[in-house]
Amino acid sequence: MKGFKRKKFFSLLLTVFLLVAVISAGCAGDAGEESKDLPKIGIIQIVEHPSLNTIREEMLAELEASGYKDGENVIIDYQSAQGDATNLKTISQKFVADGYDLIIAIATPSAQAVVGETKDIPIIFSACTDPVGSGLVASMEKPGGNVTGTSDAVSAEKIMGLALEITPNIKTVGALYNAGEANSVSVINDLKAFAAANGLTVVEATVTNSSEVQQAAASLADKADAVFIPIDNTVASAMPIVAQVAKEAKLPVYVGADSMVADGGFATYGINYKILGRKTAHLAAQVLEGANPGDLPVVTIEEVEIYINQETAEAIGIDIPQAILEQANIF
Ligand code: TRP
């Protein structure tokens, strides 16, 4: 009798053990398979400034609207390099080593880093000013390889045309940018061509990181009648500091993007970055559905609008012609 009870007890214990083992193995197996099956998307962004954040947020919302939701049917891993080139390399290498299915690179420095790491994983870049000049793709119409994306090509001529309408007495323009950003260099070359053709002089103040921006901006205050800032990620990250210097020196600052006007810059002729974010999502969705990035032309945005910061205008004492005000988006 005693022996039977003990035997029964042990077999019960064994059953419980087995059950627990089977259940936990089952759960682990499920979770493992689920995350293995979901496509993994890595998003890499050079730095967090308002324009790039807007692009990313709009893009994620549009991806979700197209049926790609983080944690449900895709896994999205977002990483910011915090303005540091070494981080760009580390993040890119990790995305590649982990075998991600798609990499989305926001801004030119991020895209250059990722393109240097893989010729296989599909890459969609976003908001890259000069995709051919910065070596991302061979052609806008037929990129080839594993890369395509969206471009925010801006026109230095258009911005300077606006500048000469609002402040016709400009003779010397100060160019403030990071010479290590290919996206900026390409626009500054256009600025120099415009200046040469229109009898203007360009003086340059370049920076290598955002902590140098205040001094560089201040150095232009004595030499220039106006400042021109291209779509430069390093300067955009320190835009409120530039705005402060400009107000004190009563210097009009013409910029490359709406967000830089919102952050205290004076005026621009630029694109709508929310639309650009959505167009980036459409490309990503096409690739997730099986399209080959190299077959998809780089997407550009033709419509540009005027953006003006009224508070800045008042602070630097400039009257904006009514005809321009009527067409402008005012911050
Ligand atoms: N066009 C920039 C690049 O190619 C990125 C960018 C998008 C940007 N919006 C901006 C830079 C606004 C400065 C300000 O890298």
Side-chain angles (χ1 to χ4, degrees):
M1 218 28 193
K2 234 180 160 189
F4 176 73
K5 259 193 182 164
R6 195 189 292 152
K7 216 169 147 193
K8 207 174 159 189
F9 174 73
F10 276 119
S11 73
L12 198 74
L13 205 66
L14 194 68
T15 314
V16 170
F17 266 134
L18 280 175
L19 262 176
V20 169
V22 165
I23 289 169
S24 58
C27 287
D30 275 0
E33 256 163 48
E34 215 175 81
S35 55
K36 198 171 77 203
D37 285 350
L38 292 181
K40 293 197 195 79
I41 307 176
I43 302 179
I44 178 168
Q45 186 172 309
I46 170 67
V47 70
E48 297 205 315
H49 65 66
S51 189
L52 301 188
N53 292 344
T54 300
I55 294 167
R56 190 185 72 251
E57 283 156 16
E58 239 3 78
M59 179 183 79
L60 287 173
E62 189 70 6
L63 267 178
E64 204 172 312
S66 314
Y68 296 101
K69 190 161 194 281
D70 185 23
E72 262 178 32
N73 52 357
V74 285
I75 293 184
I76 297 178
D77 179 1
Y78 163 61
Q79 301 287 335
S80 158
Q82 291 161 343
D84 183 321
T86 315
N87 291 344
L88 279 180
K89 197 164 176 68
T90 315
I91 296 164
S92 305
Q93 286 176 339
K94 184 168 186 304
F95 284 176
V96 173
D98 290 350
Y100 281 15
D101 300 280
L102 170 66
I103 300 175
I104 300 176
I106 305 180
T108 302
S110 333
Q112 286 173 320
V114 176
V115 165
E117 295 299 333
T118 178
K119 297 278 167 274
D120 303 314
I121 299 175
I123 298 171
I124 304 288
F125 59 77
S126 185
C128 293
T129 304
D130 184 4
V132 175
S134 58
L136 299 175
V137 290
S139 125
M140 298 286 274
E141 292 73 29
K142 192 125 189 28
N146 59 328
V147 185
T148 192
T150 57
S151 170
D152 63 346
V154 294
S155 163
E157 292 79 9
K158 270 204 147 116
I159 298 170
M160 285 310 296
L162 177 72
L164 289 175
E165 267 187 75
I166 302 178
T167 43
N169 295 329
I170 297 173
K171 291 279 168 281
T172 304
V173 183
L176 176 58
Y177 66 106
N178 179 350
E181 287 196 36
N183 41 295
S184 301
V185 172
S186 128
V187 183
I188 293 297
N189 287 339
D190 292 348
L191 170 73
K192 288 177 184 166
F194 178 93
N198 290 276
L200 302 176
T201 306
V202 176
V203 288
E204 301 189 48
T206 57
V207 297
T208 59
N209 67 62
S210 46
S211 69
E212 297 169 9
V213 168
Q214 172 158 30
Q215 234 195 331
S219 81
L220 290 175
D222 306 330
K223 301 181 211 154
D225 309 312
V227 170
F228 178 96
I229 308 174
I231 25 47
D232 186 285
N233 296 289
T234 313
V235 181
S237 309
M239 203 48 216
I241 294 171
V242 178
Q244 196 51 46
V245 174
K247 273 179 196 170
E248 280 159 25
K250 302 230 181 291
L251 200 61
V253 177
Y254 295 96
V255 293
D258 52 359
S259 65
M260 295 161 107
V261 176
D263 273 352
F266 177 38
T268 191
Y269 221 132
I271 67 156
N272 181 327
Y273 281 92
K274 288 189 176 175
I275 297 176
L276 185 119
R278 282 179 229 139
K279 296 209 173 195
T280 308
H282 297 158
L283 284 176
Q286 279 174 272
V287 169
L288 287 169
E289 276 143 32
N292 180 16
D295 297 336
L296 305 173
V298 174
V299 173
T300 53
I301 294 188
E302 303 308 324
E303 310 82 59
V304 279
E305 288 184 30
I306 298 175
Y307 295 86
I308 286 175
N309 189 316
Q310 188 73 267
E311 248 181 70
T312 301
E314 278 156 28
I316 60 179
I318 289 177
D319 280 333
I320 300 153
Q322 193 56 30
I324 292 176
L325 272 183
E326 276 163 15
Q327 316 165 43
N329 300 284
I330 311 283
F331 286 107

